[in-house]
Amino acid sequence: METVSTAKAFGGVQGVYTHASAETGTPMTFSVFVPDVASGHAPGAKLPVLWYLSGLTCTHANVTEKGEFRRACAEHGVILVAPDTSPRGDDVPDDEGYDFGKGAGFYVDATQAPWSANFRMRSYLEIELPAVIAEHFPADMARQGITGHSMGGHGALTIALRDPSRFRSVSAFAPIVSPLNCPWGEKALTGYIGADRAAWREYDACALIEDGARLPDLLVDQGTADGFLEGQLKTYLLEEVCAEVGQPATIRMQEGYDHSYYFISSFMAEHIGWHAERLK
């Protein structure tokens, strides 16, 4: 792991780092905020970890620069990790559309050529990057939470539903709740996974819940003025399946908020506090 930059913030350290990923076959960049472990913690204390997965077109930088999470993370003593959304590099295949290829990894392990060689974001986030975080940061990997926005909300929900024992807390901002039922998901999963829609179900939060996956609790915030709500996000599908099977969920429609980081930053501190309570 190499350090790209560090800066002091709210008594802690905001860093950006890069490493050579075996899963993607490329360098991968991520950011980590580590609160001051000396403040109210014993020497050598490890802190809980909150993963934040970003949306389409984003990198680690969007939430790092606009997410307004550091004050809350410092107050609650929570490390925040923000990975990239896809492999990068001149040799990595890409697509002309913003919703496929670089910046649009959809947190899957691709099985279709040419994407399968590099687009292994599922294994990267489930196996490789957690090992890097555990080795290099004061992270208590027994206390992990996960959240994300849009495509990253889809990633957070599906990663947690596939491995609920790893996460004590799960939330999302304006998530894609059912890639099986929206244009973004249909394009991405067809391209990465192939035409067999049955193989998509492990990457669809609503389908995973229908198939028996459960979480202890779930928090979702969705803006009512989000231009993607009706055509792509379809929050009502998650509400319906959670109600049908008895999955505990707090799904809040936030009046007048859109899909931007103005929305995310408005509720970020509340989400961090919600996770921190469950990560004690």
PDB file of all heavy atoms in Angstrom, residues 245-279:
ATOM      1  N   VAL A 245     -42.203 -10.010   3.863  1.00  0.00           N
ATOM      2  CA  VAL A 245     -41.491 -11.092   4.558  1.00  0.00           C
ATOM      3  C   VAL A 245     -41.143 -10.751   5.998  1.00  0.00           C
ATOM      4  O   VAL A 245     -40.571 -11.578   6.708  1.00  0.00           O
ATOM      5  CB  VAL A 245     -40.204 -11.483   3.787  1.00  0.00           C
ATOM      6  CG1 VAL A 245     -40.515 -11.846   2.346  1.00  0.00           C
ATOM      7  CG2 VAL A 245     -39.146 -10.373   3.854  1.00  0.00           C
ATOM      8  N   GLY A 246     -41.451  -9.520   6.437  1.00  0.00           N
ATOM      9  CA  GLY A 246     -41.148  -9.138   7.809  1.00  0.00           C
ATOM     10  C   GLY A 246     -39.700  -8.733   8.040  1.00  0.00           C
ATOM     11  O   GLY A 246     -39.221  -8.819   9.176  1.00  0.00           O
ATOM     12  N   GLN A 247     -39.017  -8.279   7.006  1.00  0.00           N
ATOM     13  CA  GLN A 247     -37.664  -7.762   7.167  1.00  0.00           C
ATOM     14  C   GLN A 247     -37.731  -6.378   7.819  1.00  0.00           C
ATOM     15  O   GLN A 247     -38.317  -5.452   7.254  1.00  0.00           O
ATOM     16  CB  GLN A 247     -36.965  -7.658   5.810  1.00  0.00           C
ATOM     17  CG  GLN A 247     -35.698  -6.801   5.777  1.00  0.00           C
ATOM     18  CD  GLN A 247     -34.579  -7.336   6.642  1.00  0.00           C
ATOM     19  OE1 GLN A 247     -34.183  -8.472   6.518  1.00  0.00           O
ATOM     20  NE2 GLN A 247     -34.063  -6.505   7.540  1.00  0.00           N
ATOM     21  N   PRO A 248     -37.142  -6.198   9.018  1.00  0.00           N
ATOM     22  CA  PRO A 248     -37.167  -4.870   9.644  1.00  0.00           C
ATOM     23  C   PRO A 248     -36.469  -3.829   8.760  1.00  0.00           C
ATOM     24  O   PRO A 248     -35.358  -4.068   8.283  1.00  0.00           O
ATOM     25  CB  PRO A 248     -36.394  -5.078  10.947  1.00  0.00           C
ATOM     26  CG  PRO A 248     -36.471  -6.548  11.220  1.00  0.00           C
ATOM     27  CD  PRO A 248     -36.478  -7.199   9.872  1.00  0.00           C
ATOM     28  N   ALA A 249     -37.124  -2.707   8.534  1.00  0.00           N
ATOM     29  CA  ALA A 249     -36.557  -1.666   7.676  1.00  0.00           C
ATOM     30  C   ALA A 249     -37.195  -0.325   7.991  1.00  0.00           C
ATOM     31  O   ALA A 249     -38.414  -0.234   8.149  1.00  0.00           O
ATOM     32  CB  ALA A 249     -36.767  -2.006   6.202  1.00  0.00           C
ATOM     33  N   THR A 250     -36.357   0.695   8.078  1.00  0.00           N
ATOM     34  CA  THR A 250     -36.828   2.065   8.170  1.00  0.00           C
ATOM     35  C   THR A 250     -36.510   2.731   6.845  1.00  0.00           C
ATOM     36  O   THR A 250     -35.345   2.982   6.522  1.00  0.00           O
ATOM     37  CB  THR A 250     -36.128   2.811   9.323  1.00  0.00           C
ATOM     38  OG1 THR A 250     -36.396   2.133  10.554  1.00  0.00           O
ATOM     39  CG2 THR A 250     -36.619   4.246   9.411  1.00  0.00           C
ATOM     40  N   ILE A 251     -37.543   2.974   6.052  1.00  0.00           N
ATOM     41  CA  ILE A 251     -37.379   3.552   4.713  1.00  0.00           C
ATOM     42  C   ILE A 251     -38.068   4.910   4.720  1.00  0.00           C
ATOM     43  O   ILE A 251     -39.297   4.994   4.844  1.00  0.00           O
ATOM     44  CB  ILE A 251     -37.955   2.622   3.631  1.00  0.00           C
ATOM     45  CG1 ILE A 251     -37.238   1.262   3.675  1.00  0.00           C
ATOM     46  CG2 ILE A 251     -37.825   3.268   2.255  1.00  0.00           C
ATOM     47  CD1 ILE A 251     -37.832   0.219   2.750  1.00  0.00           C
ATOM     48  N   ARG A 252     -37.260   5.958   4.597  1.00  0.00           N
ATOM     49  CA  ARG A 252     -37.771   7.316   4.771  1.00  0.00           C
ATOM     50  C   ARG A 252     -37.737   8.076   3.444  1.00  0.00           C
ATOM     51  O   ARG A 252     -36.684   8.191   2.819  1.00  0.00           O
ATOM     52  CB  ARG A 252     -36.930   8.056   5.819  1.00  0.00           C
ATOM     53  CG  ARG A 252     -36.798   7.284   7.127  1.00  0.00           C
ATOM     54  CD  ARG A 252     -36.087   8.056   8.205  1.00  0.00           C
ATOM     55  NE  ARG A 252     -34.731   8.479   7.844  1.00  0.00           N
ATOM     56  CZ  ARG A 252     -33.856   8.979   8.713  1.00  0.00           C
ATOM     57  NH1 ARG A 252     -34.205   9.163   9.979  1.00  0.00           N
ATOM     58  NH2 ARG A 252     -32.640   9.324   8.311  1.00  0.00           N
ATOM     59  N   MET A 253     -38.873   8.582   3.036  1.00  0.00           N
ATOM     60  CA  MET A 253     -38.950   9.433   1.854  1.00  0.00           C
ATOM     61  C   MET A 253     -38.748  10.877   2.311  1.00  0.00           C
ATOM     62  O   MET A 253     -39.571  11.422   3.054  1.00  0.00           O
ATOM     63  CB  MET A 253     -40.290   9.251   1.157  1.00  0.00           C
ATOM     64  CG  MET A 253     -40.595   7.825   0.743  1.00  0.00           C
ATOM     65  SD  MET A 253     -39.334   7.093  -0.349  1.00  0.00           S
ATOM     66  CE  MET A 253     -39.523   8.139  -1.805  1.00  0.00           C
ATOM     67  N   GLN A 254     -37.642  11.481   1.883  1.00  0.00           N
ATOM     68  CA  GLN A 254     -37.265  12.818   2.340  1.00  0.00           C
ATOM     69  C   GLN A 254     -37.760  13.860   1.340  1.00  0.00           C
ATOM     70  O   GLN A 254     -37.279  13.936   0.206  1.00  0.00           O
ATOM     71  CB  GLN A 254     -35.747  12.895   2.521  1.00  0.00           C
ATOM     72  CG  GLN A 254     -35.183  11.887   3.517  1.00  0.00           C
ATOM     73  CD  GLN A 254     -35.591  12.177   4.957  1.00  0.00           C
ATOM     74  OE1 GLN A 254     -36.292  13.147   5.239  1.00  0.00           O
ATOM     75  NE2 GLN A 254     -35.152  11.329   5.887  1.00  0.00           N
ATOM     76  N   GLU A 255     -38.704  14.663   1.782  1.00  0.00           N
ATOM     77  CA  GLU A 255     -39.421  15.581   0.907  1.00  0.00           C
ATOM     78  C   GLU A 255     -38.492  16.629   0.289  1.00  0.00           C
ATOM     79  O   GLU A 255     -37.765  17.331   0.998  1.00  0.00           O
ATOM     80  CB  GLU A 255     -40.536  16.290   1.688  1.00  0.00           C
ATOM     81  CG  GLU A 255     -41.448  17.144   0.824  1.00  0.00           C
ATOM     82  CD  GLU A 255     -42.268  16.322  -0.153  1.00  0.00           C
ATOM     83  OE1 GLU A 255     -42.597  15.167   0.177  1.00  0.00           O
ATOM     84  OE2 GLU A 255     -42.570  16.845  -1.247  1.00  0.00           O
ATOM     85  N   GLY A 256     -38.515  16.713  -1.051  1.00  0.00           N
ATOM     86  CA  GLY A 256     -37.823  17.767  -1.776  1.00  0.00           C
ATOM     87  C   GLY A 256     -36.365  17.527  -2.072  1.00  0.00           C
ATOM     88  O   GLY A 256     -35.732  18.335  -2.771  1.00  0.00           O
ATOM     89  N   TYR A 257     -35.788  16.439  -1.583  1.00  0.00           N
ATOM     90  CA  TYR A 257     -34.362  16.175  -1.813  1.00  0.00           C
ATOM     91  C   TYR A 257     -34.149  15.435  -3.127  1.00  0.00           C
ATOM     92  O   TYR A 257     -34.968  14.596  -3.527  1.00  0.00           O
ATOM     93  CB  TYR A 257     -33.773  15.360  -0.657  1.00  0.00           C
ATOM     94  CG  TYR A 257     -33.539  16.188   0.585  1.00  0.00           C
ATOM     95  CD1 TYR A 257     -34.531  16.299   1.558  1.00  0.00           C
ATOM     96  CD2 TYR A 257     -32.339  16.862   0.781  1.00  0.00           C
ATOM     97  CE1 TYR A 257     -34.328  17.063   2.700  1.00  0.00           C
ATOM     98  CE2 TYR A 257     -32.131  17.633   1.926  1.00  0.00           C
ATOM     99  CZ  TYR A 257     -33.126  17.718   2.872  1.00  0.00           C
ATOM    100  OH  TYR A 257     -32.923  18.481   3.999  1.00  0.00           O
ATOM    101  N   ASP A 258     -33.012  15.739  -3.786  1.00  0.00           N
ATOM    102  CA  ASP A 258     -32.708  15.122  -5.074  1.00  0.00           C
ATOM    103  C   ASP A 258     -31.690  13.990  -4.903  1.00  0.00           C
ATOM    104  O   ASP A 258     -31.570  13.403  -3.826  1.00  0.00           O
ATOM    105  CB  ASP A 258     -32.223  16.183  -6.068  1.00  0.00           C
ATOM    106  CG  ASP A 258     -30.944  16.891  -5.618  1.00  0.00           C
ATOM    107  OD1 ASP A 258     -30.246  16.394  -4.699  1.00  0.00           O
ATOM    108  OD2 ASP A 258     -30.627  17.953  -6.188  1.00  0.00           O
ATOM    109  N   HIS A 259     -30.943  13.690  -5.951  1.00  0.00           N
ATOM    110  CA  HIS A 259     -30.021  12.543  -5.966  1.00  0.00           C
ATOM    111  C   HIS A 259     -28.585  12.942  -5.656  1.00  0.00           C
ATOM    112  O   HIS A 259     -27.698  12.112  -5.691  1.00  0.00           O
ATOM    113  CB  HIS A 259     -30.080  11.877  -7.354  1.00  0.00           C
ATOM    114  CG  HIS A 259     -29.561  10.473  -7.408  1.00  0.00           C
ATOM    115  ND1 HIS A 259     -30.193   9.426  -6.781  1.00  0.00           N
ATOM    116  CD2 HIS A 259     -28.470   9.932  -8.025  1.00  0.00           C
ATOM    117  CE1 HIS A 259     -29.521   8.304  -7.012  1.00  0.00           C
ATOM    118  NE2 HIS A 259     -28.482   8.580  -7.752  1.00  0.00           N
ATOM    119  N   SER A 260     -28.344  14.199  -5.340  1.00  0.00           N
ATOM    120  CA  SER A 260     -26.989  14.737  -5.264  1.00  0.00           C
ATOM    121  C   SER A 260     -26.378  14.590  -3.881  1.00  0.00           C
ATOM    122  O   SER A 260     -27.012  14.122  -2.926  1.00  0.00           O
ATOM    123  CB  SER A 260     -27.003  16.219  -5.643  1.00  0.00           C
ATOM    124  OG  SER A 260     -27.609  16.972  -4.594  1.00  0.00           O
ATOM    125  N   TYR A 261     -25.128  15.068  -3.759  1.00  0.00           N
ATOM    126  CA  TYR A 261     -24.468  15.074  -2.457  1.00  0.00           C
ATOM    127  C   TYR A 261     -25.027  16.139  -1.518  1.00  0.00           C
ATOM    128  O   TYR A 261     -24.754  16.105  -0.323  1.00  0.00           O
ATOM    129  CB  TYR A 261     -22.947  15.212  -2.623  1.00  0.00           C
ATOM    130  CG  TYR A 261     -22.302  13.848  -2.721  1.00  0.00           C
ATOM    131  CD1 TYR A 261     -22.177  13.206  -3.943  1.00  0.00           C
ATOM    132  CD2 TYR A 261     -21.873  13.173  -1.584  1.00  0.00           C
ATOM    133  CE1 TYR A 261     -21.633  11.943  -4.037  1.00  0.00           C
ATOM    134  CE2 TYR A 261     -21.321  11.915  -1.656  1.00  0.00           C
ATOM    135  CZ  TYR A 261     -21.200  11.299  -2.889  1.00  0.00           C
ATOM    136  OH  TYR A 261     -20.669  10.037  -2.965  1.00  0.00           O
ATOM    137  N   TYR A 262     -25.831  17.068  -2.026  1.00  0.00           N
ATOM    138  CA  TYR A 262     -26.564  17.952  -1.116  1.00  0.00           C
ATOM    139  C   TYR A 262     -27.524  17.107  -0.272  1.00  0.00           C
ATOM    140  O   TYR A 262     -27.703  17.346   0.920  1.00  0.00           O
ATOM    141  CB  TYR A 262     -27.340  19.013  -1.905  1.00  0.00           C
ATOM    142  CG  TYR A 262     -26.455  19.951  -2.671  1.00  0.00           C
ATOM    143  CD1 TYR A 262     -26.461  19.967  -4.065  1.00  0.00           C
ATOM    144  CD2 TYR A 262     -25.601  20.836  -2.012  1.00  0.00           C
ATOM    145  CE1 TYR A 262     -25.641  20.834  -4.780  1.00  0.00           C
ATOM    146  CE2 TYR A 262     -24.778  21.705  -2.720  1.00  0.00           C
ATOM    147  CZ  TYR A 262     -24.799  21.694  -4.098  1.00  0.00           C
ATOM    148  OH  TYR A 262     -23.988  22.550  -4.799  1.00  0.00           O
ATOM    149  N   PHE A 263     -28.146  16.130  -0.898  1.00  0.00           N
ATOM    150  CA  PHE A 263     -29.020  15.193  -0.190  1.00  0.00           C
ATOM    151  C   PHE A 263     -28.212  14.296   0.746  1.00  0.00           C
ATOM    152  O   PHE A 263     -28.521  14.183   1.945  1.00  0.00           O
ATOM    153  CB  PHE A 263     -29.789  14.356  -1.223  1.00  0.00           C
ATOM    154  CG  PHE A 263     -30.310  13.047  -0.726  1.00  0.00           C
ATOM    155  CD1 PHE A 263     -31.242  12.980   0.297  1.00  0.00           C
ATOM    156  CD2 PHE A 263     -29.881  11.856  -1.295  1.00  0.00           C
ATOM    157  CE1 PHE A 263     -31.740  11.762   0.753  1.00  0.00           C
ATOM    158  CE2 PHE A 263     -30.360  10.628  -0.850  1.00  0.00           C
ATOM    159  CZ  PHE A 263     -31.290  10.582   0.171  1.00  0.00           C
ATOM    160  N   ILE A 264     -27.180  13.661   0.217  1.00  0.00           N
ATOM    161  CA  ILE A 264     -26.401  12.715   1.026  1.00  0.00           C
ATOM    162  C   ILE A 264     -25.825  13.401   2.255  1.00  0.00           C
ATOM    163  O   ILE A 264     -25.941  12.905   3.384  1.00  0.00           O
ATOM    164  CB  ILE A 264     -25.272  12.113   0.170  1.00  0.00           C
ATOM    165  CG1 ILE A 264     -25.846  11.308  -1.005  1.00  0.00           C
ATOM    166  CG2 ILE A 264     -24.377  11.207   1.025  1.00  0.00           C
ATOM    167  CD1 ILE A 264     -24.823  10.958  -2.050  1.00  0.00           C
ATOM    168  N   SER A 265     -25.201  14.554   2.061  1.00  0.00           N
ATOM    169  CA  SER A 265     -24.554  15.233   3.180  1.00  0.00           C
ATOM    170  C   SER A 265     -25.562  15.707   4.229  1.00  0.00           C
ATOM    171  O   SER A 265     -25.217  15.860   5.399  1.00  0.00           O
ATOM    172  CB  SER A 265     -23.718  16.414   2.671  1.00  0.00           C
ATOM    173  OG  SER A 265     -24.526  17.394   2.046  1.00  0.00           O
ATOM    174  N   SER A 266     -26.813  15.913   3.822  1.00  0.00           N
ATOM    175  CA  SER A 266     -27.834  16.353   4.771  1.00  0.00           C
ATOM    176  C   SER A 266     -28.154  15.282   5.809  1.00  0.00           C
ATOM    177  O   SER A 266     -28.541  15.607   6.935  1.00  0.00           O
ATOM    178  CB  SER A 266     -29.121  16.729   4.025  1.00  0.00           C
ATOM    179  OG  SER A 266     -28.918  17.837   3.174  1.00  0.00           O
ATOM    180  N   PHE A 267     -27.978  14.024   5.437  1.00  0.00           N
ATOM    181  CA  PHE A 267     -28.350  12.929   6.328  1.00  0.00           C
ATOM    182  C   PHE A 267     -27.161  12.052   6.711  1.00  0.00           C
ATOM    183  O   PHE A 267     -27.342  11.056   7.425  1.00  0.00           O
ATOM    184  CB  PHE A 267     -29.457  12.094   5.675  1.00  0.00           C
ATOM    185  CG  PHE A 267     -30.708  12.879   5.413  1.00  0.00           C
ATOM    186  CD1 PHE A 267     -30.953  13.411   4.155  1.00  0.00           C
ATOM    187  CD2 PHE A 267     -31.605  13.132   6.432  1.00  0.00           C
ATOM    188  CE1 PHE A 267     -32.089  14.160   3.910  1.00  0.00           C
ATOM    189  CE2 PHE A 267     -32.756  13.881   6.201  1.00  0.00           C
ATOM    190  CZ  PHE A 267     -33.001  14.402   4.945  1.00  0.00           C
ATOM    191  N   MET A 268     -25.967  12.413   6.261  1.00  0.00           N
ATOM    192  CA  MET A 268     -24.796  11.588   6.521  1.00  0.00           C
ATOM    193  C   MET A 268     -24.515  11.430   8.017  1.00  0.00           C
ATOM    194  O   MET A 268     -24.270  10.321   8.512  1.00  0.00           O
ATOM    195  CB  MET A 268     -23.576  12.172   5.816  1.00  0.00           C
ATOM    196  CG  MET A 268     -22.285  11.395   6.051  1.00  0.00           C
ATOM    197  SD  MET A 268     -22.298   9.732   5.353  1.00  0.00           S
ATOM    198  CE  MET A 268     -21.820  10.103   3.658  1.00  0.00           C
ATOM    199  N   ALA A 269     -24.528  12.533   8.759  1.00  0.00           N
ATOM    200  CA  ALA A 269     -24.212  12.455  10.184  1.00  0.00           C
ATOM    201  C   ALA A 269     -25.220  11.574  10.918  1.00  0.00           C
ATOM    202  O   ALA A 269     -24.857  10.822  11.834  1.00  0.00           O
ATOM    203  CB  ALA A 269     -24.185  13.856  10.804  1.00  0.00           C
ATOM    204  N   GLU A 270     -26.475  11.649  10.506  1.00  0.00           N
ATOM    205  CA  GLU A 270     -27.500  10.811  11.135  1.00  0.00           C
ATOM    206  C   GLU A 270     -27.240   9.329  10.857  1.00  0.00           C
ATOM    207  O   GLU A 270     -27.382   8.480  11.752  1.00  0.00           O
ATOM    208  CB  GLU A 270     -28.874  11.220  10.622  1.00  0.00           C
ATOM    209  CG  GLU A 270     -30.019  10.592  11.392  1.00  0.00           C
ATOM    210  CD  GLU A 270     -31.372  11.138  10.956  1.00  0.00           C
ATOM    211  OE1 GLU A 270     -31.416  12.188  10.280  1.00  0.00           O
ATOM    212  OE2 GLU A 270     -32.378  10.494  11.296  1.00  0.00           O
ATOM    213  N   HIS A 271     -26.857   9.024   9.626  1.00  0.00           N
ATOM    214  CA  HIS A 271     -26.532   7.634   9.296  1.00  0.00           C
ATOM    215  C   HIS A 271     -25.334   7.147  10.104  1.00  0.00           C
ATOM    216  O   HIS A 271     -25.348   6.017  10.615  1.00  0.00           O
ATOM    217  CB  HIS A 271     -26.256   7.495   7.797  1.00  0.00           C
ATOM    218  CG  HIS A 271     -27.483   7.335   6.968  1.00  0.00           C
ATOM    219  ND1 HIS A 271     -27.718   6.239   6.168  1.00  0.00           N
ATOM    220  CD2 HIS A 271     -28.560   8.152   6.811  1.00  0.00           C
ATOM    221  CE1 HIS A 271     -28.882   6.377   5.563  1.00  0.00           C
ATOM    222  NE2 HIS A 271     -29.405   7.541   5.923  1.00  0.00           N
ATOM    223  N   ILE A 272     -24.309   7.973  10.219  1.00  0.00           N
ATOM    224  CA  ILE A 272     -23.122   7.561  10.968  1.00  0.00           C
ATOM    225  C   ILE A 272     -23.473   7.308  12.432  1.00  0.00           C
ATOM    226  O   ILE A 272     -23.022   6.319  13.030  1.00  0.00           O
ATOM    227  CB  ILE A 272     -22.007   8.605  10.830  1.00  0.00           C
ATOM    228  CG1 ILE A 272     -21.466   8.580   9.391  1.00  0.00           C
ATOM    229  CG2 ILE A 272     -20.870   8.349  11.833  1.00  0.00           C
ATOM    230  CD1 ILE A 272     -20.550   9.728   9.049  1.00  0.00           C
ATOM    231  N   GLY A 273     -24.297   8.161  13.018  1.00  0.00           N
ATOM    232  CA  GLY A 273     -24.742   7.940  14.383  1.00  0.00           C
ATOM    233  C   GLY A 273     -25.547   6.663  14.525  1.00  0.00           C
ATOM    234  O   GLY A 273     -25.409   5.928  15.519  1.00  0.00           O
ATOM    235  N   TRP A 274     -26.372   6.373  13.534  1.00  0.00           N
ATOM    236  CA  TRP A 274     -27.184   5.151  13.531  1.00  0.00           C
ATOM    237  C   TRP A 274     -26.271   3.923  13.478  1.00  0.00           C
ATOM    238  O   TRP A 274     -26.479   2.939  14.205  1.00  0.00           O
ATOM    239  CB  TRP A 274     -28.113   5.198  12.333  1.00  0.00           C
ATOM    240  CG  TRP A 274     -29.111   4.094  12.214  1.00  0.00           C
ATOM    241  CD1 TRP A 274     -30.366   4.050  12.762  1.00  0.00           C
ATOM    242  CD2 TRP A 274     -28.961   2.887  11.465  1.00  0.00           C
ATOM    243  NE1 TRP A 274     -31.003   2.881  12.403  1.00  0.00           N
ATOM    244  CE2 TRP A 274     -30.171   2.148  11.607  1.00  0.00           C
ATOM    245  CE3 TRP A 274     -27.936   2.356  10.688  1.00  0.00           C
ATOM    246  CZ2 TRP A 274     -30.372   0.910  10.998  1.00  0.00           C
ATOM    247  CZ3 TRP A 274     -28.126   1.120  10.081  1.00  0.00           C
ATOM    248  CH2 TRP A 274     -29.330   0.415  10.233  1.00  0.00           C
ATOM    249  N   HIS A 275     -25.259   3.979  12.611  1.00  0.00           N
ATOM    250  CA  HIS A 275     -24.296   2.862  12.541  1.00  0.00           C
ATOM    251  C   HIS A 275     -23.502   2.751  13.833  1.00  0.00           C
ATOM    252  O   HIS A 275     -23.311   1.644  14.355  1.00  0.00           O
ATOM    253  CB  HIS A 275     -23.343   3.073  11.363  1.00  0.00           C
ATOM    254  CG  HIS A 275     -23.936   2.747  10.030  1.00  0.00           C
ATOM    255  ND1 HIS A 275     -23.962   1.471   9.502  1.00  0.00           N
ATOM    256  CD2 HIS A 275     -24.532   3.534   9.103  1.00  0.00           C
ATOM    257  CE1 HIS A 275     -24.547   1.484   8.313  1.00  0.00           C
ATOM    258  NE2 HIS A 275     -24.895   2.728   8.058  1.00  0.00           N
ATOM    259  N   ALA A 276     -23.047   3.884  14.350  1.00  0.00           N
ATOM    260  CA  ALA A 276     -22.206   3.862  15.554  1.00  0.00           C
ATOM    261  C   ALA A 276     -22.920   3.195  16.719  1.00  0.00           C
ATOM    262  O   ALA A 276     -22.310   2.458  17.500  1.00  0.00           O
ATOM    263  CB  ALA A 276     -21.795   5.284  15.924  1.00  0.00           C
ATOM    264  N   GLU A 277     -24.210   3.445  16.855  1.00  0.00           N
ATOM    265  CA  GLU A 277     -24.987   2.836  17.932  1.00  0.00           C
ATOM    266  C   GLU A 277     -24.953   1.314  17.838  1.00  0.00           C
ATOM    267  O   GLU A 277     -24.879   0.606  18.847  1.00  0.00           O
ATOM    268  CB  GLU A 277     -26.429   3.347  17.883  1.00  0.00           C
ATOM    269  CG  GLU A 277     -27.313   2.850  19.003  1.00  0.00           C
ATOM    270  CD  GLU A 277     -26.892   3.357  20.372  1.00  0.00           C
ATOM    271  OE1 GLU A 277     -26.275   4.443  20.449  1.00  0.00           O
ATOM    272  OE2 GLU A 277     -27.189   2.663  21.360  1.00  0.00           O
ATOM    273  N   ARG A 278     -24.992   0.806  16.626  1.00  0.00           N
ATOM    274  CA  ARG A 278     -25.001  -0.632  16.400  1.00  0.00           C
ATOM    275  C   ARG A 278     -23.592  -1.244  16.387  1.00  0.00           C
ATOM    276  O   ARG A 278     -23.466  -2.466  16.435  1.00  0.00           O
ATOM    277  CB  ARG A 278     -25.741  -0.922  15.093  1.00  0.00           C
ATOM    278  CG  ARG A 278     -27.235  -0.689  15.213  1.00  0.00           C
ATOM    279  CD  ARG A 278     -27.921  -0.367  13.908  1.00  0.00           C
ATOM    280  NE  ARG A 278     -29.361  -0.186  14.115  1.00  0.00           N
ATOM    281  CZ  ARG A 278     -29.905   0.910  14.650  1.00  0.00           C
ATOM    282  NH1 ARG A 278     -29.143   1.933  14.998  1.00  0.00           N
ATOM    283  NH2 ARG A 278     -31.212   0.974  14.830  1.00  0.00           N
ATOM    284  N   LEU A 279     -22.590  -0.400  16.285  1.00  0.00           N
ATOM    285  CA  LEU A 279     -21.197  -0.884  16.243  1.00  0.00           C
ATOM    286  C   LEU A 279     -20.486  -0.769  17.584  1.00  0.00           C
ATOM    287  O   LEU A 279     -19.289  -1.025  17.668  1.00  0.00           O
ATOM    288  CB  LEU A 279     -20.425  -0.088  15.173  1.00  0.00           C
ATOM    289  CG  LEU A 279     -20.890  -0.291  13.736  1.00  0.00           C
ATOM    290  CD1 LEU A 279     -20.157   0.671  12.794  1.00  0.00           C
ATOM    291  CD2 LEU A 279     -20.690  -1.726  13.276  1.00  0.00           C
TER     292      LEU A 279
END
